[in-house]
Amino acid sequence: MNFGGLISAAPVFDAIAWFESIRIGSTSLLASASTADNSPFIFAGILASLVVIYLASTIGGEVCARLNLPPVLGQLIGGLVVGISALHLLVFPEGGGDSSNSLLMRFLEATAGLSVDGVTTTFQIDSEVISVLSEIGVVILLFEIGLESNLQELLRVGTQATIVAIVGVVTPFLFGTLGLIAFFHISTVPAVFAGAALTATSIGITAKVLAELNYLNRSEGQIIIGAAVLDDVLGIIVLAVVASLAKTGEVELTNIIYLILSSVVFLVGAILIGRWLNPYFVQLVDALKTRGQLLIPALIFAFALSYIATVIKLEAILGAFTAGLVLAETQKCRELKNQVVPIADILVPIFFVVVSAKTDIGVLNPAVPANREGLIMASFLIVVAILGKVVTGFTVFGQEKVNRLAIGVGMIPRGEVGLVFAGIGSATGVLPPALDAAIIVMVIVTTFIAPPLLQIVFQRSPQQNLPQPEAIASVSESKQ
């Protein structure tokens, strides 16, 4: 999710519509730009950006893997190095960059003959394209995670996941909002905005780490994924509420009810209809003779559900995850997973590197006087952000051997989700600079500490949560 611009007059849905239009890129920009003259440079810039992204992802991931750390942490660090925080090779308008501080544009001028007049257009379009590829990457990631998940297991832990999600939203929101008002004398509306930024979990980061640690299909992993999906839905509702509050000073109950009902109807309806269509999907795949007879129909299904989710004001990743869950129950699941993995290897690193590249860790520099107040508030927000999610694991009941601390830690990262709240708050002028910086610092810290912490807490009791051989066999048989 990305951000920028101003929220329009209609209180909630216009704000979210604006928010989604920024995510997919500005079509009018692409249409109005003088691409005829600059098209070779635009394409060259995209290729150069991909080279930077894959180098950063590979080097960072390899270093972390050799240090026995999750490779996704290396991808995030690689993004920081090449992004706005360090080398300025990969910068984006929404991350505070522009064509004047993009070393990639300087490189195109020096090696490809890009004119000074064409720099701005090339930079804007390249940024849009890479951002879109990043969003497709996270859609593919959640589709893959859905394929790796077990719907029966998710339903089994559904009650626990729901409790974890609700506690994980309510606890940090209340303590963050009330703490900012009581200790820092922040006015109510910006305090609510900051509290809202503490609520949602970045499912992409946590899911990737769980997959790397082979914990995705265990009870802890399924509870975390289920809770993170619900967190995403609840986060959209919270976003609608705070956007309305910031713009009009009022909360429109009808819009909130619509979001809740549409979320429930979409999830339940998609799963039920999908399970009914599964035999026909298998028959279609078996009847096709062309190359990609399994992968292409599966991607069509995933993108169609992602589109529907976006149209009804939900999240595209919610649709992709649901599609993966549905297709995981077909006998083609294992074959499909093997075909999706290479696609994910191409697109998912773009998401992690881009998310990190857009994050400016300059706000962590205490030598800058303007940062100091924000750092103090950030310290408070970080404590609330971590503890507010860690306590969620201890709300799990009925499972004696589950690693509750791991569940809480898995809910910690805010990632791009927290940046969205900060971006909307900044765009509306609700957040003072110090609080805006504090939210960004909180997002940075929670995003980067979660992967190593997850590895630590899972290694504390490695034998405790290992599934029995018969359980593994039953899962394998159900997906064949």
Side-chain angles (χ1 to χ4, degrees):
M1 291 188 277
N2 301 322
F3 49 82
L6 295 175
I7 295 179
S8 58
V12 178
F13 291 122
D14 281 356
I16 298 177
W18 157 82
F19 169 63
E20 290 296 325
S21 72
I22 295 299
R23 177 218 296 275
I24 63 173
S26 172
T27 305
S28 60
L29 170 65
L30 296 175
S32 61
S34 55
T35 55
D37 294 335
N38 291 314
S39 56
F41 304 112
I42 292 169
F43 187 57
I46 293 169
L47 293 176
S49 297
L50 291 175
V51 169
V52 170
I53 288 170
Y54 289 132
L55 278 174
S57 169
T58 302
I59 295 172
E62 190 67 22
V63 169
C64 282
R66 293 177 184 273
L67 294 175
N68 201 28
L69 293 171
V72 67
L73 180 61
Q75 294 175 346
L76 292 170
I77 294 173
L80 278 182
V81 172
V82 301
I84 192 70
S85 297
L87 298 182
H88 287 242
L89 284 168
L90 198 68
V91 298
F92 298 86
E94 56 269 39
D98 56 44
S99 59
S100 65
N101 61 9
S102 170
L103 287 186
L104 205 58
M105 292 300 105
R106 304 287 81 76
F107 178 76
L108 287 178
E109 287 182 283
T111 61
L114 176 63
S115 67
V116 176
D117 294 336
V119 167
T120 301
T121 298
T122 302
F123 171 77
Q124 290 175 328
I125 297 179
D126 283 359
S127 299
E128 295 284 354
V129 171
I130 296 300
S131 292
V132 169
L133 289 176
S134 167
E135 295 297 341
I136 295 175
V138 75
V139 166
I140 294 295
L141 172 61
L142 267 296
F143 179 54
E144 181 187 10
I145 296 303
L147 287 172
E148 293 283 352
S149 298
N150 187 322
L151 181 58
Q152 298 302 322
E153 177 67 14
L154 271 178
L155 293 174
R156 186 180 71 80
V157 301
T159 303
Q160 287 95 333
T162 301
I163 294 173
V164 168
I166 293 173
V167 173
V169 168
V170 173
T171 303
F173 176 77
L174 285 180
F175 280 94
T177 302
L178 297 177
L180 287 171
I181 294 173
F183 300 134
F184 299 97
H185 307 293
I186 301 294
S187 57
T188 302
V189 173
V192 167
F193 236 109
L198 298 170
T199 58
T201 297
S202 179
I203 184 175
I205 293 170
T206 295
K208 182 67 172 176
V209 175
L210 289 172
E212 290 171 350
L213 296 176
N214 294 319
Y215 264 83
L216 195 59
N217 253 332
R218 303 181 188 182
S219 294
E220 294 91 345
Q222 294 298 287
I223 291 173
I224 292 171
I225 293 301
V229 169
L230 291 173
D231 251 12
D232 195 65
V233 174
L234 293 173
I236 297 167
I237 296 169
V238 172
L239 176 60
V241 172
V242 295
S244 174
L245 182 63
K247 186 65 181 178
T248 66
E250 299 176 352
V251 175
E252 295 208 2
L253 185 60
T254 54
N255 289 340
I256 298 173
I257 293 173
Y258 167 81
L259 288 170
I260 295 172
L261 291 178
S262 61
S263 302
V264 173
V265 170
F266 175 78
L267 282 170
V268 175
I271 290 174
L272 291 178
I273 294 174
R275 298 179 85 172
W276 174 70
L277 289 175
N278 270 344
Y280 301 102
F281 174 82
V282 173
Q283 291 176 16
L284 172 64
V285 168
D286 290 337
L288 294 175
K289 303 299 180 185
T290 54
R291 184 172 172 176
Q293 66 268 31
L294 174 59
L295 179 62
I296 299 303
L299 289 179
I300 290 172
F301 181 58
F303 291 155
L305 285 189
S306 298
Y307 169 79
I308 294 170
T310 303
V311 166
I312 61 175
K313 315 302 180 187
L314 298 176
E315 280 295 304
I317 58 175
L318 191 61
F321 177 74
T322 305
L325 274 181
V326 170
L327 295 181
E329 295 197 295
T330 69
Q331 61 187 22
K332 300 288 185 180
C333 176
R334 178 174 295 181
E335 183 182 355
L336 179 57
K337 282 193 294 185
N338 292 336
Q339 294 186 23
V340 169
V341 167
I343 307 297
D345 289 341
I346 293 172
L347 292 172
V348 173
I350 301 176
F351 167 69
F352 289 110
V353 172
V354 167
V355 165
S356 190
K358 292 177 180 178
T359 303
D360 184 5
I361 60 172
V363 297
L364 293 171
N365 183 7
V368 179
N371 291 345
R372 293 170 190 167
E373 184 184 1
L375 285 171
I376 295 172
M377 281 192 284
S379 301
F380 168 76
L381 292 180
I382 289 167
V383 172
V384 173
I386 294 174
L387 295 181
K389 293 293 185 180
V390 169
V391 297
T392 62
F394 297 94
T395 64
V396 176
F397 62 91
Q399 299 194 37
E400 293 298 325
K401 296 184 178 180
V402 74
N403 190 333
R404 289 173 171 79
L405 181 59
I407 292 172
V409 171
M411 301 296 291
I412 286 176
R414 296 328 194 264
E416 76 289 351
V417 183
L419 294 176
V420 169
F421 284 90
I424 299 263
S426 297
T428 56
V430 169
L431 295 177
L435 185 54
D436 188 27
I439 294 174
I440 294 174
V441 173
M442 178 274 296
V443 170
I444 294 170
V445 173
T446 57
T447 298
F448 281 90
I449 67 169
L453 280 181
L454 269 173
Q455 190 169 45
I456 292 170
V457 296
F458 274 126
Q459 286 178 343
R460 288 181 58 188
S461 52
Q463 301 299 323
Q464 187 179 31
N465 298 289
L466 289 175
Q468 298 301 315
E470 53 270 24
I472 298 175
S474 112
V475 170
S476 299
E477 289 169 5
S478 70
K479 291 193 173 186
Q480 287 178 357

